[in-house]
Amino acid sequence: MGFKCSKKMLAAGSIFLASAMLVGNIAVVSFKKDAKAAIADTAYEDVLPQMESVARMYAEEFAESINENVDLTVCKTTPIYDSADCIVGYSVAFNKDNDDFGYVNIDYTSEGLITDFSVTDESDSIYEALTEDFAEASADVEVEDCKDKLISVNGMDYAVEAEGQDIFYYNGKTYEGKDFEDMLDHYEENYLEYYDNTEYEDDFVDISASDQLEEREWEIVKRFKGWLKKIAPKLYDSFFGNNYDNPYATEDPSVTEEPSVTEEPTVTDEPQFTDDAADDFVEPTAYPTHDEVFKNEAMCKLNKEVYLPQYSRELSLISQETIMTTTNRYACALVGVTAICQQEGMSLNGNLKDTFNKLWDLAGCEGRIYETGTFYGKTVDCSSTYAYQMGSVMKEYGKLFNKRVETEYVNNPNFNFFKASIDGGHSTSLGYQIENEGGHGVNVVGYAEANIGSHNLDYLITGDSWYDDAPRFVLYGRNLFASTNSNSYTITDM
């Protein structure tokens, strides 16, 4: 399902050639009197080319809107799968003059559509970054062995899989297939328990239950059509027509009223998705021109982009590879704290190795080593850390520089906490967890505010050791993680 390199097509009649393959009816839906939702017979498979085409074009429009006067080429689209092994969106990677220029991830089941992105001349695609790390982490895997897919774990992090080997790479380590499935099941359980919110329950289904899988596929189609109707109504009409005659047809002719459908919780600023998966697909006789494809007010607009005053690409972004090959050690939260020390002018002896090793000792990481393995040709000790202890670690470390470090530690902070911290010039970290399955920690170097029409989107700009090429923008919302935490540091002279 991947889309290989080709220049973007803007002329009328050539925009969505892949979608022109679709013919006939896209779905025939029947409702029983007690039905919770309509299940489409073939809609999911038939609509995938449209999902890819729309993701490709929308991502490219967005990428060029934040890089004016830059002519980008879509070089690859990689399907994004959910835990039910259903395609929910696409990761769109770009080139400029045959050089990498980042990526934009589109997830039609997300409340924000664009879940994460990094679009600069220093950015790789997220798929390329992960598959390269996978190959380094496993002696049995080469980059070309990886399947053409990303597996979305929580909306911010992704896993990749080796073809025919039942090996996965996620959270900086490899998993055998059963262990990876157990990890996803564990995440699912804690995710639903934490939020106790049936709105997201269908995101996680038993893939052995065909009826639930079919319902999940129908839900994906419904959400794709909801987004398409919102951002490109003319294109929606070109694909699906306006056939709304009796969309609640039933197998029982005695049932004349619309069946009762369990309502999901409504979030007022989310796009309203309609139960119209029964609409007949109508093959377009003419495609819209480029100016008519997307409503101007429905394009994702980056309205505000704020970086921490101390931010420096050279100091604030540290890769997993750099830490492992320099220190023969790794702890993701400490990588973020090391970056904070560097951007605050507190590098021990002026080098990264001494800084990280001192933080490692202060955090007691030697006693919590959970794995020793070979990474990037080096033997590396991997240790866990506790986010709440980073304040005391930084307090002791600051004394080496005659600095007073005060820390505000917050569980499950909202977006405004990060805004206030960055606006106040405070170095800030983000940690997020899957209970008993570890988590990840990153340096927050800024924030951004965007919108799609009246739908507001909040992004954190992160220095992520799993993706170190450039600042990574990630959608920050309540439904992404089992739990989150943050440390906001105030550093002054003693």
Side-chain angles (χ1 to χ4, degrees), residues 158-173:
Y158 303 91
V160 287
E161 178 183 359
E163 187 77 49
Q165 299 187 49
D166 200 30
I167 303 175
F168 298 80
Y169 178 79
Y170 168 69
N171 199 10
K173 62 181 181 178

Side-chain angles (χ1 to χ4, degrees), residues 37 98 110 131 175 193 205 212 305 316 336 387-388 416 429:
N98 294 320
S110 166
T131 53
Y175 289 82
E193 179 181 350
V205 299
Q212 289 186 333
E305 186 176 344
S316 304
Y388 66 80
N416 286 334
S429 65

Side-chain angles (χ1 to χ4, degrees), residues 412-415 418 430 458-460 474-477 480-481 484:
N412 303 310
N414 58 28
F415 183 69
F418 292 100
L430 165 67
D458 299 325
Y459 292 93
L460 297 182
V474 293
L475 187 67
Y476 189 74
L480 295 181
F481 314 102
T484 60

